[in-house]
Structures are given as C-alpha cells and as structure tokens.
Amino acid sequence: MEAVLAAPWRIILFGGLRAEQNGTSIGRFRSQKIGALLAYLALFPTRAYTREELADLFWPDAEPEVGRTNLRTALFSLRRQLEPPGALAGSVLITRGHSEVTIEPRAISTDVAEFEKALQAAAHPNISSADKAARLEEAVSLYTGPLLQGYNEMWAVTERGRLAESYQRALQKLVRYYEQTEDYNRALESARRLLTVDPLDENSHADIIRFLMATGQQPAARRQFEEMRRRFVTELGREPAPEISALLSARSTPLRASAPVSPDDISVPSASRERPEPAATPPISAPVPLHLPLTLTRFFGREEERTYLAASLRSPDIRLVTLTGFGGCGKTRLAVEIAREVASAFPGGIWFVALAELRDAARFFDVVGDTLGLPRSTSLEQTLNQVIARLHDGDTRKLLVLDNFEQIVEEGAPEIQTLLGQVPKLSCLVTSRHRLLLDGEREFSLLPLPTPEHATTPERLLECASVQLFVNRAQSARPDFQLNARNSAAVAQICARLEGIPLAIELASAWSQTLTPAQMLERLIRRFDILISRRRDIPGRQATLRATIEWSYRLLPADLQVFFTQLSVFRGGWTLEAAEAVTGKTDTIASLAELEQRSLVV
C-alpha cells in the first residue's frame, strides 16, 4: 500500500494536551513523559535536538543508556499514534541518524503559535483600534486554560507563567477598550475571563460590579460583591476596599470616549480610582440551563438518527419522542447528544432525569422534583403541583430527558401524559426498551451501529461507525493502539460478531491493554466470558452483556420469560411456524409482538 502525506496535526497545548487530525482526537498517551515529549517538540518546532539532550531533559535521574532507551520507546509510541498505517513514515517525527530528533513544522500547528501570532498582529502600529481589539479577541479565544495543565516539568511551568501573563495583559486591554467604546456587555465578559485567571484580583471584581450595575443587573452585582467578600475574608483575611462596596450605590454619569481608543493606549486603573458609572444597556442574555450528564468520550455515527430526532424535538407540534431499543444499543448517550444539539429550541432549560434505579412509579414526580432542585413534599399531590409550577415558570419551552423508563412503563406512562397536559410548553424525550403507547407519541427504534460488510483496507474500515467506536475505546485502554493491516480483519470480524451493539463493542475493546484483536476474536466463541467491564463508573446492569440481557428479561411477565427462553434454541432467526412448533403457544404472534415492543426481538 502506497504511503500518503497525511493532513497536519493540530496540537492543543492550552488547558492540557490533545492532538487532532481529520476528526481523530488523541488525548491520552502511553505515559505522561511521552505526552510531554510531544508537547515540547511542538512548542519549540524550529530546532533539532540531540538524543542525549532529550534523554537528559526528560529522564534526568536515569543512567544514560536507560534514558536513550526510554527515548526510543517514546518516539516509537508517538509514531504509532501520529503516523498510523497509510501515513508517510517520518512525516511528523524526524530522526536524523542516531543523533538528532525534530518535529516536521509543516506537519503540525499549535494553538500556542496561533495565540502568539494574534498578539503580534495586535501590536502592529499600522492597524486600526477595532482591528487591534479583533486580534486580541482572537488571541484570548485560543487560551482555553493554563498551558499543559497537569504537566509539571520546569520548562512547562516557565512557559505556563509567561503565556498566562500575556493572556492577562490582552484581557486588561480589552476591558478598557470595550469600556471606553461603551460596549459594556463585552467589557463584562472580558473582566469575567480575567477573574478566572486570578480570583483575588480586586480590579477585576470592581470592573464586574460596575458593568453589572451598568447593564441593569443590580442583584447580580450584589452577588458578585458578596462572593468577592467571602473570598477575601477566607483567603486574605480582610474585607474588600470600601470604594468597591460604594460601587453598589454609585450614581454618576456614563463614561464616554472623546476619541477613538486603541487597546494599547488604555491604562489599567486601580480599584480605588473613582470611576463614573456607565449607562445602562440591555441585560446580557443568559445561556440555556443544561442539566445533562458530563460525557468524557467521543460519540460516533448516528448522523441520520440525530437529524431526524433533532427535527422532531424542535417541532412544537411533537412533544413526546420515545427512543426505544434493546439494552446496550446506545439510547442514553444518543439522547444526551440530541439534547445538547437542540438546546437553543428550549430556552427554559433541559433536565436529564435518571430513572434506572426507580421501581415504584408512584415516586416518579419525586425524582423529577429532585432533578429540578425542588424541596421534598409530604404528599404526591403537592409534589406534582410543585413540578408543574416549576416547569410553567417563564412560559418558555423546556425539555425533560427521561432515561431508562422501561421498568415503570405501565404505571408511569400516564404520569408523563399528566405532565404534558398540564405544561403546554414542555416536551419529553424518553429512552426505554418499551414504547409508552401514548397519544401523540413519536417512537424511534434505535438499531445497532453499521458493521463492515467485508474486510478491506484500514482506511476504509475507519469509515464504519462500529470500527471507529472500537478503535477509539481501544485507545482509551492502550493509547498507542492503531488499526493496521495486521489487525484490521480481526477488528472487522469482532464488530460484525458483536452485531454493532455499542455496549458489546466497548466491553470488548477495553481488553486491548492485554489482548490483541485476534485473541479477542478467539475468546468471543464464549462471548459472555469476555464482555465484562472492570470500570467502576458504569451501572451494574451494563457491567456485562449478560447483565444487560438479564435486566430486560427480569422486566418480562412470567409467561413471556418462558416464551423468550424457548426461543433461545434458534440461531440466526426463525419463522412464525417454527416458533409455534417449539413453544406450543396459540398466541405466538401476540407474544412476538410483545417482545418486539420490549426491544428483545426484531
């Protein structure tokens, strides 16, 4: 296979370390030293280093030969991640003989380089004040956190401090520029950013209070002062300066710039300097309150499903969408992704209500109330009234994501109907292995991820969502795992054998730290023995594939449990006549329909 020159990697250094290329994201490395080596080469890409220099820098306490061996291992691991099969060998990391190591500058870009380039452009004497401010905004938008957060090498600490100071100076200039040009909302935004760098900066606190007062947000200004006072008393042992508390009652004329102002021309005043109060402008629009689970892994595939579900939820005429499917097919994760995608359509807020542990439908409104942050009531009627009043608040569209509804469908479905009837601006997205059978319900049955139809090149296989999922989760267990010509056929077979079920693929790929794909494939003959998770943060019902199926099985009535067990003699499907012959049931069609509604057969 002919090697090709890959697209450049974008190395993110602010806020941590991440490498991105054409939708691929690498956030973990086989060791922190290996990640630090990549960061160092990317941060200083214009020079070559001797192997001895790098070994001494990263393994200063090791014997010289051990340090050089560690460096060889680190370079090999980085090449596996940055120069995968099909990429041109040596296109990212360049070694010259046995002495020099460098990174190919054309093969990477970094947010730090772009940050410093924008600051240099802002300092140019021949551009307008507005352009200077635009360049400063470009720079501060790139600063997503301290440089290489979590890395404590001396060179990283030094560079972290230098870049943090540059970020602060840029924000200080923007605060003054927006204040003088009377753009108080953007001045407030810049002052808040400054405060995240130094929460004890008295100037930034004072600026935020002034701008909140100027934009008609007096209660928020008082909360800001109280938060400042709490921090100062707790951490500095003193009260804020009297001039700052006086800002809460200041009455003065707005500050106006008499001439166009450049960010470079504006000094940063002290908190105690007397300042006129700016004129009021419309309040800053608040973001949509999203109360959704934090997701720490990438999401793959489901483009058509996302388009359909997002369009359904955005429509005010469709207020109940039920996402059905068998256990482990990815309903919960898809629901969370969709909820984030449609946030702008629900300005009143979106809440995720976890129902997996609920067994008594009579407590449904208690769980909803807890999610909404309501105090517990002594009666169900009072709880219902509180929930309805909270969801009515503001008369704006709101969304509840009701997750794992299947175990309370019979008694719980009428409760959803009650909510929707009482709150006209409310919509519900429900995940369940069983549809609700309510009027107005829009059901969407979620199928497994597509699997490769036949073995092909690694590059073509990576176009398949199930393979993308396997490789990504395998790299979580073993950061330098790569799909290549040797293992691609086994990975394709694993995804096909597991029928594209996301949970099963995640459980299998987690073994990549100890098993090769070929070894996994051998063990899938007894698939329940390998599809076991060792993670501590997943529910017991999803810790093994057996537990996922058992969860659905236990929700069946006794007669359907017997019927489902009898169907287990079939492999690869069956006809209606065969099912009737094996089970001896006269109402086989009705029983199969019930199992289909419960997402146990298709």
Side-chain angles (χ1 to χ4, degrees):
M1 181 171 57
E2 184 180 352
V4 296
L5 185 63
W9 284 94
R10 177 170 169 77
I11 312 296
I12 311 298
L13 300 167
F14 284 127
L17 175 62
R18 192 171 72 256
E20 298 177 344
Q21 181 196 65
N22 290 341
T24 297
S25 180
I26 299 173
R28 291 186 63 226
F29 301 87
R30 198 158 189 179
S31 71
Q32 192 178 59
K33 287 286 187 185
I34 293 175
L37 174 62
L38 171 63
Y40 186 76
L41 294 173
L43 195 59
F44 309 107
T46 58
R47 59 163 292 196
Y49 303 89
T50 66
R51 288 177 179 265
E52 288 72 18
E53 186 179 359
L54 292 175
D56 288 344
L57 180 64
F58 287 95
W59 296 276
D61 299 325
E63 293 293 327
E65 186 56 38
V66 174
R68 286 192 292 270
T69 300
N70 289 343
L71 179 61
R72 281 196 301 272
T73 302
L75 291 171
F76 176 76
S77 182
L78 284 176
R79 281 204 174 95
R80 289 190 65 178
Q81 291 186 273
L82 301 175
E83 300 173 5
L88 190 63
S91 59
V92 180
L93 293 173
I94 302 172
T95 54
R96 297 185 179 93
H98 297 288
S99 58
E100 286 189 344
V101 176
T102 188
I103 197 164
E104 170 55 64
R106 295 171 298 177
I108 66 160
S109 65
T110 69
D111 53 351
V112 169
E114 293 168 4
F115 171 80
E116 297 197 296
K117 183 179 178 181
L119 289 181
Q120 289 171 2
H124 197 283
N126 297 327
I127 64 172
S128 67
S129 300
D131 285 342
K132 286 179 185 289
R135 298 292 78 76
L136 289 172
E137 282 286 4
E138 180 184 347
V140 299
S141 70
L142 290 163
Y143 190 97
T144 55
L147 179 81
L148 293 171
Q149 203 159 15
Y151 289 79
N152 295 317
E153 282 76 7
M154 184 58 68
W155 57 267
V157 173
T158 301
E159 287 297 296
R160 184 179 303 150
R162 181 182 69 82
L163 292 167
E165 288 179 6
S166 297
Y167 176 63
Q168 284 179 285
R169 286 195 298 271
L171 284 172
Q172 288 166 350
K173 292 176 181 178
L174 284 171
V175 169
R176 302 281 74 82
Y177 175 78
Y178 288 134
E179 179 178 19
Q180 294 279 14
T181 55
E182 300 183 72
D183 191 344
Y184 302 119
N185 286 347
R186 298 184 76 175
L188 176 59
E189 180 185 351
S190 297
R192 280 176 165 156
R193 285 180 178 178
L194 260 175
L195 201 60
T196 64
V197 181
D198 182 4
L200 297 174
D201 179 27
E202 208 160 11
N203 290 331
S204 296
H205 280 287
D207 285 334
I208 291 172
I209 291 170
R210 290 190 309 105
F211 298 144
L212 286 171
M213 294 290 288
T215 54
Q217 300 180 78
Q218 285 81 4
R222 294 188 179 280
R223 288 195 298 271
Q224 181 70 33
F225 177 77
E226 290 303 323
E227 171 62 18
M228 176 193 184
R229 182 179 178 279
R230 184 190 65 78
R231 278 186 175 275
F232 273 46
V233 170
T234 302
E235 301 181 37
L236 300 180
R238 69 174 179 86
E239 294 280 343
E243 295 87 344
I244 297 180
S245 60
L247 292 172
L248 295 172
S249 57
R251 298 179 59 85
S252 55
T253 58
L255 175 66
R256 293 185 180 274
S258 57
V261 183
S262 164
D264 291 334
D265 297 333
I266 301 170
S267 60
V268 182
S270 65
S272 59
R273 183 179 300 176
E274 187 175 341
R275 301 182 180 96
E277 184 179 342
T281 61
I284 299 170
S285 59
V288 175
L290 290 181
H291 306 276
L292 296 171
L294 179 66
T295 54
L296 302 176
T297 54
R298 283 185 63 196
F299 184 78
F300 294 94
R302 308 293 196 195
E303 286 82 6
E304 292 183 9
E305 294 94 329
R306 292 172 71 166
T307 299
Y308 175 85
L309 289 166
S312 298
L313 285 169
R314 288 190 180 104
S315 170
D317 299 325
I318 302 173
R319 299 177 53 215
L320 174 59
V321 177
T322 304
L323 187 57
T324 61
F326 53 85
C329 71
K331 299 183 296 296
T332 298
R333 181 60 187 272
L334 178 58
V336 172
E337 295 294 324
I338 292 299
R340 286 202 180 95
E341 192 169 324
V342 300
S344 61
F346 297 94
I350 298 177
W351 291 266
F352 181 91
V353 185
L355 299 167
E357 306 304 320
L358 183 64
R359 298 293 179 273
D360 181 5
R363 291 195 56 248
F364 171 70
F365 286 116
D366 286 334
V367 178
V368 175
D370 290 345
T371 304
L372 295 173
L374 302 175
R376 278 291 181 97
S377 300
T378 55
S379 70
L380 290 175
E381 183 178 1
Q382 187 177 3
T383 301
L384 171 60
N385 291 336
Q386 285 182 325
V387 168
I388 290 173
R390 173 66 181 88
L391 293 173
H392 259 307
D393 183 37
D395 196 34
T396 53
R397 290 191 71 194
K398 301 175 180 68
L399 176 67
L400 292 182
V401 181
L402 304 171
D403 187 51
N404 285 113
F405 203 81
E406 58 267 5
Q407 72 276 4
I408 58 167
V409 163
E410 302 298 334
E411 299 83 10
E415 309 286 29
I416 294 181
Q417 199 166 32
T418 298
L419 265 184
L420 294 173
Q422 294 290 324
V423 188
K425 293 295 181 98
L426 176 68
S427 295
C428 291
L429 172 60
V430 181
T431 73
S432 175
R433 303 185 193 186
H434 194 324
R435 65 176 301 183
L436 307 187
L437 301 176
L438 292 177
D439 186 36
E441 177 183 20
R442 177 72 61 92
E443 182 197 7
F444 187 92
S445 181
L446 190 62
L447 298 176
L449 292 171
T451 58
E453 296 182 3
H454 52 81
T456 179
T457 64
E459 292 76 20
R460 292 298 301 275
L461 284 176
L462 280 172
E463 296 173 3
C464 181
S466 60
V467 176
Q468 292 171 357
L469 177 64
F470 181 94
V471 171
N472 179 264
R473 301 306 192 257
Q475 289 172 343
S476 295
R478 183 187 176 106
D480 58 357
F481 177 87
Q482 291 290 342
L483 190 70
N484 54 43
R486 293 188 302 278
N487 63 23
S488 58
V491 170
Q493 290 181 62
I494 289 170
C495 293
R497 186 83 61 85
L498 297 178
E499 301 177 10
I501 300 173
L503 175 62
I505 291 171
E506 294 205 30
L507 294 174
S509 62
W511 287 92
S512 296
Q513 194 170 23
T514 52
L515 299 176
T516 67
Q519 291 170 327
M520 290 181 213
L521 193 58
E522 291 176 7
R523 285 161 174 77
L524 280 180
I525 295 172
R526 295 178 57 82
R527 67 184 66 186
F528 286 135
D529 294 340
I530 189 175
L531 299 181
I532 298 173
S533 175
R534 292 167 289 181
R535 285 171 46 194
R536 298 185 179 92
D537 62 340
I538 64 173
R541 70 182 185 281
Q542 292 184 344
T544 69
L545 191 61
R546 184 189 299 274
T548 298
I549 297 173
E550 185 176 2
W551 168 268
S552 294
Y553 175 80
R554 290 185 180 277
L555 294 176
L556 294 174
D559 61 327
L560 271 181
Q561 287 183 349
V562 173
F563 181 73
F564 184 62
T565 304
Q566 291 170 328
L567 293 177
S568 67
V569 301
F570 296 110
R571 183 179 181 87
W574 60 84
T575 64
L576 175 62
E577 292 75 17
E580 288 174 338
V582 166
T583 64
K585 287 179 70 73
T586 57
D587 59 345
T588 303
I589 293 179
S591 297
L592 286 173
E594 181 74 10
L595 289 178
E596 184 179 13
Q597 282 189 1
R598 294 173 180 267
S599 305
L600 279 167
V601 302
V602 294

